[in-house]
Amino acid sequence: MSAPEVSSHRLGPAHAIPVGEGRAFAVDGRQIAVFRPRAGSGIRALDAVCPHAGGPLADAQIDHMKIVCPLHGYAFSLSDGACLNGDLAVRTYPVREEDGEIVVDV
């Protein structure tokens, strides 16, 4: 069995995401939300759609290293995508800044 193929995608300038905010991007047929949390370091990427009811996670409130879905209050860890108040989870993606741009691996 071979490892799944991973490809890197440039999403645009890193400064487009202010500290404490997130933005959604369409990447390879997926919606991915990229956040720049106040706490911690760097940027984080995870699925942009809440698995509970389809809420827009890029519009979530950020509190340290967690986000809270704006529709029904489900909270997710920015570190591993685990739901902090339910049995749901979202996928996380490797993301980095490279030459001033956001690069995510999908």
Side-chain angles (χ1 to χ4, degrees):
M1 184 172 165
S2 63
E5 187 173 321
V6 175
S7 59
S8 297
H9 300 267
R10 292 187 174 273
L11 303 182
H15 64 78
I17 304 176
V19 173
E21 294 188 20
R23 297 287 186 269
F25 298 90
V27 180
D28 206 19
R30 306 166 198 245
Q31 290 292 313
I32 296 177
V34 179
F35 297 92
R36 184 180 302 279
R38 294 181 201 283
S41 60
I43 52 179
R44 304 291 176 155
L46 42 81
D47 287 331
V49 178
C50 180
H52 169 246
L57 292 181
D59 296 336
Q61 292 181 338
I62 302 174
D63 181 22
H64 294 285
M65 289 299 288
K66 72 178 181 184
I67 58 170
V68 179
C69 179
L71 290 187
H72 298 104
Y74 279 80
F76 298 92
S77 166
L78 285 172
S79 297
D80 62 8
C83 185
L84 303 174
N85 55 348
D87 294 334
L88 307 169
V90 292
R91 182 177 173 181
T92 60
Y93 300 90
V95 64
R96 63 193 175 279
E97 290 185 33
E98 214 174 80
D99 299 325
E101 289 189 294
I102 299 165
V103 179
V104 65
D105 294 334
V106 175

